[in-house]
Amino acid sequence: MNDAAPQAQATATDAVVSQEGHKAMFRHIERRLTSLELTVAAMETERAVSEEKRKFMVARFNQIDTRLDKIDGHIGRLVWLIIAAILGAFMSIVLHGGPLNV
């Protein structure tokens, strides 16, 4: 029985040490989990911000495309106006007998 008491005390001490080790391990795991949760939250925030920026850029590019289409239309009209003016001048010269008609 003498041998049983120190052995039981050693087993109890080992259990306490083991329990402290488990508590430390759980605290470490809890800190890592908290860190991961913060990282995931930051990533989700960054993704949401990026999505909003993308939406803004798409809207901006659509506005730019619309403005470029309008500019293209105006340039087309201007080209036709210049061509019409050149043809009008040519027709005027032809109908009046040419530049040498004195």
Side-chain angles (χ1 to χ4, degrees), residues 52-96:
E52 289 301 315
K53 284 181 181 179
R54 188 192 65 78
K55 286 179 184 178
F56 174 76
M57 292 302 290
V58 166
R60 184 82 170 135
F61 281 126
N62 286 340
Q63 290 174 349
I64 290 171
D65 283 343
T66 303
R67 291 174 62 193
L68 286 175
D69 288 340
K70 287 180 182 179
I71 290 170
D72 189 38
H74 292 307
I75 289 174
R77 288 182 191 156
L78 185 61
V79 167
W80 279 109
L81 182 64
I82 291 170
I83 291 171
I86 291 171
L87 286 175
F90 179 72
M91 292 302 289
S92 176
I93 291 171
V94 169
L95 290 176
H96 287 26

Side-chain angles (χ1 to χ4, degrees), residues 6-59:
Q7 195 174 33
Q9 188 178 10
T11 304
T13 304
D14 288 344
V16 170
V17 169
S18 177
Q19 187 178 12
E20 289 299 318
H22 286 358
K23 285 181 183 179
M25 182 179 67
F26 285 132
R27 283 192 299 268
H28 176 71
I29 290 172
E30 185 177 351
R31 282 193 302 270
R32 288 189 64 196
L33 184 60
T34 302
S35 173
L36 288 172
E37 287 172 343
L38 291 173
T39 302
V40 168
M43 288 172 62
E44 288 175 349
T45 301
E46 181 63 29
R47 184 192 54 78
V49 168
S50 295
E51 182 66 25
E52 289 301 315
K53 284 181 181 179
R54 188 192 65 78
K55 286 179 184 178
F56 174 76
M57 292 302 290
V58 166

